[in-house]
Amino acid sequence: MGTTPTAERMVLGPGRSPRLSLFAVAHHPCLGSECDLPYSADRGKKSVNRQALDELKQQIPLLDYLQAQDWQPVRPLSGGRWMGLCPLHADRKPSFLVDPGKSLFYCYGCGRGGDVIRFAEIYHDLKFPQALALLRQWRGLAPLLQQATDFYRMQLHRHPEAVAYLLQRGVRSPKLIEHMRIGYAPGGCLRGWLMQLGYPLPALRQAGLVTAVGYDAYVNRIVFPLEGNLYGRSISAAAPPHRFLPGAKGGLYAWEQARRYPEVILVEGLFDYAVLWQAGFHNVTCAMGTHLNARQFQQLCDGPHTVYLSFDADANGSGQQASQQLAHRLEAHGIPARHIVLPAGHDPNSFFVQGGDAGQFQSLLEAAQS
Ligand SMILES: [Zn+2]
């Protein structure tokens, strides 16, 4: 599996002695009173300033960061602590302990634990300096994207053209709109709103929410918040259909939910995801394109799932080709893959929009072949 090197690295922990790590596994001192990971000391990085690290950790409470990655607490424990499914390994019963007071985690399943920086290292498969950079970026960007998301969600019901577009794409259920936090960017008003809230223009430009000349970047677009990004789908045929803000598109969409199922449906677009979720298929996830980034691929490999691929049945065969290639890569990592064969010219969205129902899709799932 693709996760083995990380797992080995993290069980020992970079730059730590095996003796110390055994102690950590047996007693998980990270959740005791004395844990204070001496980054600058044990990793020999003089450049990493202890105070800056403490500040960063203070500004990013572990629980906030976990929840932004879709992690959900399942069971409360004493002292305000929580148990939930471990986002770092294929977990069947909650073995991931989070102490929000101390901003520390420990997993009884995979034996890993630590603070928010350690979590980011393992979760995103990054080295320490890259994890720091990612968290610093997240600290700056997260509140801004949250504000933009809230604003776009407020706009959705004020714009009949946006609601009409959603209906036309088969998105009807208020529960779905809530679940996906779907919003609408009319254009010409986000910049003013965010600046009123005190965000300086350069920050809005840097995030890509505002263009270099100062206009809202998203105009007449349905907006879906992703992990650290916003996807905007144009409702007008005159503009390029798909837009992302600068930066990575993130991991698989709603992976924390989908990964709990032994069978996972992978689709290409968020409107495919939407109609399937609405039809009751909650074991669905989306790569936002047919090309999976390294993290998305690793997520698919991180557990005993069977992956059902349902990419667009394009006339030029590109969807089928991407699907075949991905299936081979998955099989090479020991992950069974099946192809869902949709009627010619259809994607899951158009299949449901044009009258397909859950029962019919279920039949296609059962008929899916490797
Ligand atoms: Zn774990």
Side-chain angles (χ1 to χ4, degrees), residues 86-91 95-96 106-112:
C86 176
L88 307 175
H89 81 277
D91 205 4
S95 43
F96 189 77
Y106 180 79
C107 176
Y108 289 91
C110 59
R112 295 179 285 189

Side-chain angles (χ1 to χ4, degrees), residues 117-351:
I117 305 172
R118 169 73 80 214
F119 179 82
E121 279 185 302
I122 311 173
Y123 188 69
H124 302 287
D125 192 18
L126 295 173
K127 297 220 177 351
F128 183 72
Q130 283 84 43
L132 275 189
L134 180 116
L135 288 173
R136 287 199 177 110
Q137 196 200 6
W138 189 85
R139 172 184 61 185
L141 201 58
L144 181 55
L145 292 187
Q146 185 61 52
Q147 291 289 355
T149 299
D150 291 347
F151 179 75
Y152 289 146
R153 291 179 72 188
M154 266 184 329
Q155 298 303 316
L156 181 64
H157 297 284
R158 298 179 183 172
H159 292 270
E161 70 276 23
V163 176
Y165 180 84
L166 288 182
L167 286 174
Q168 180 206 322
R169 299 298 303 270
V171 174
R172 296 179 306 271
S173 142
K175 216 175 126 196
L176 172 67
I177 292 172
E178 180 69 29
H179 164 72
M180 295 185 80
R181 297 183 291 144
I182 301 175
Y184 180 62
C189 50
L190 179 74
R191 173 189 150 167
W193 172 264
L194 291 175
M195 287 183 71
Q196 251 181 15
L197 291 175
Y199 289 97
L201 188 55
L204 307 186
R205 281 208 190 99
Q206 203 190 351
L209 291 167
V210 166
T211 64
V213 286
Y215 294 116
D216 283 11
Y218 285 2
V219 179
N220 300 337
R221 283 178 189 275
I222 301 288
V223 178
F224 298 86
L226 311 173
E227 185 184 286
N229 208 319
L230 298 176
Y231 165 71
R233 175 62 165 92
S234 175
I235 67 168
S236 136
H242 313 289
R243 287 273 316 261
F244 293 88
L245 298 179
K249 65 182 172 179
L252 291 169
Y253 188 81
W255 179 241
E256 273 304 304
Q257 182 173 55
R259 72 191 285 261
R260 296 170 198 183
Y261 297 88
E263 296 175 333
V264 170
I265 306 168
L266 176 69
V267 297
E268 200 176 317
L270 287 170
F271 281 100
D272 301 322
Y273 174 95
V275 290
L276 277 165
W277 196 91
Q278 190 174 250
F281 296 93
H282 292 183
N283 56 333
V284 59
T285 185
C286 170
M288 293 152 291
T290 55
H291 175 77
L292 274 66
N293 61 33
R295 171 124 177 279
Q296 293 176 329
F297 185 76
Q298 196 199 359
Q299 285 173 318
L300 280 185
C301 294
D302 187 16
H305 314 285
T306 300
V307 179
Y308 287 78
L309 299 163
S310 191
F311 289 170
D312 302 4
D314 312 304
N316 63 11
S318 63
Q320 294 91 313
Q321 210 182 346
S323 178
Q324 294 286 358
Q325 280 170 0
L326 179 57
H328 286 147
R329 281 176 69 205
L330 286 170
E331 303 271 1
H333 283 76
I335 303 294
R338 310 254 182 283
H339 301 279
I340 300 174
V341 182
L342 293 164
H346 275 288
D347 56 31
N349 185 262
S350 65
F351 177 79

